[in-house]
């Protein structure tokens, strides 16, 4: 059974860079076909796709966040990570890692982590 | 403002049939498949329907999805109290070089 677990700081200061890691168990990030994804949910709001990475290192980001986002993968640790720079209060959200089944336009997110709340505040 | 439009709320009594709509455009629903996610209170979203009408293993048959043109619907028949949750639709949007978009969510209350 595939499981994803986010980890990282719960509180970050404005203008700083957020760094989160997703640890994958029961599967390997090196297996082709899956795209490893970050999604966030602002408090009481809907979902926002941040971007994804393939095991080769190929990435694709939400155009609205692209200038501030970096997603990387560490196949030796079976993890993938998110970095989001120039934080503001508007980045306060629950951050989820998820598995994109195909990385294609007809794909879907079939496995989700439990999510981690990140608050941006001084 | 979400790209896909859902009603903010829906309700029904146990045993009833409830539908939740999701409206988009030619750049998302009109050209790609739709997925639905269920988010129980305090938990992560869970895949409910994929590729318009496919149910993952373990999802009860009383959940079904349809798509027509630039709109999609989720139907729940035989509503149960444990169905009380937030429901989100999602599709790939081909604008701006492409990105995933979601609906704003529909809070389903079982009366």
């Amino acid at each position: 059974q595939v499981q994803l677990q986010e980890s990282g700081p719960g509180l970050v200061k404005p203008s700083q860079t957020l760094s989160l890691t997703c640890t994958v168990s029961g599967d390997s990030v090196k297996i082709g076909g899956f795209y490893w994804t970050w999604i966030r949910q602002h408090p009481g709001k809907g979902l926002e796709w941040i971007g994804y990475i393939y095991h080769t290192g190929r990435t694709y980001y939400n155009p609205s966040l692209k200038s501030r986002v970096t997603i990387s993968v560490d196949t030796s640790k079976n993890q993938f990570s998110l970095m989001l720079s120039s934080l503001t209060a508007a980045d306060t959200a629950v951050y989820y890692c998820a598995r994109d089944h195909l990385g294609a336009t007809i794909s879907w997110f079939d496995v989700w982590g439990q999510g981690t709340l990140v608050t941006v505040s001084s | 403002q979400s790209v896909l439009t859902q009603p903010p709320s829906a309700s029904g009594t146990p045993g009833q049939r409830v539908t939740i709509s999701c409206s988009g455009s030619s750049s998302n629903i009109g050209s790609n498949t739709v997925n639905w996610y269920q988010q129980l209170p305090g938990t992560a979203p869970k895949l409910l329907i994929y590729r318009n009408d496919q149910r993952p293993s373990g999802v009860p048959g009383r959940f079904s999805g349809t798509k027509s043109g630039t709109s999609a619907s989720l139907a729940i028949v035989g509503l149960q109290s444990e169905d009380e949750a937030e429901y989100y639709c999602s599709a790939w949007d081909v604008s701006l070089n492409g990105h995933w978009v979601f609906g704003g969510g529909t809070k389903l209350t079982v009366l």
Side-chain angles (χ1 to χ4, degrees), chain B residues 23-100:
Chain B
S23 177
S25 68
S26 58
S27 67
N28 42 66
I29 294 179
S31 52
N32 290 297
T33 57
V34 177
N35 306 313
W36 290 90
Y37 300 91
Q38 178 193 57
Q39 186 173 33
L40 297 170
T43 69
K46 167 194 164 186
L47 179 66
L48 195 65
I49 297 288
Y50 67 100
R51 285 192 177 177
N52 302 329
D53 56 11
Q54 301 298 301
R55 275 181 290 107
S57 172
V59 172
R62 51 203 183 78
F63 291 94
S64 63
T66 59
K67 174 192 144 177
S68 178
T70 59
S71 295
S73 289
L74 173 71
I76 310 171
V77 298
L79 194 63
Q80 298 183 8
S81 58
E82 58 260 39
D83 298 334
E84 186 160 294
E86 194 87 23
Y87 292 85
Y88 294 93
C89 58
S90 178
W92 181 263
D93 192 300
V94 300
S95 65
L96 300 174
N97 289 324
H99 58 292
W100 284 101

Side-chain angles (χ1 to χ4, degrees), chain A residues 11-17 85-91 119-122:
Chain A
L11 179 64
V12 191
K13 289 181 168 43
S15 80
Q16 289 189 339
T17 295
S85 64
S86 304
L87 294 173
T88 70
D91 294 309
T119 301
V120 180
S121 175
S122 55

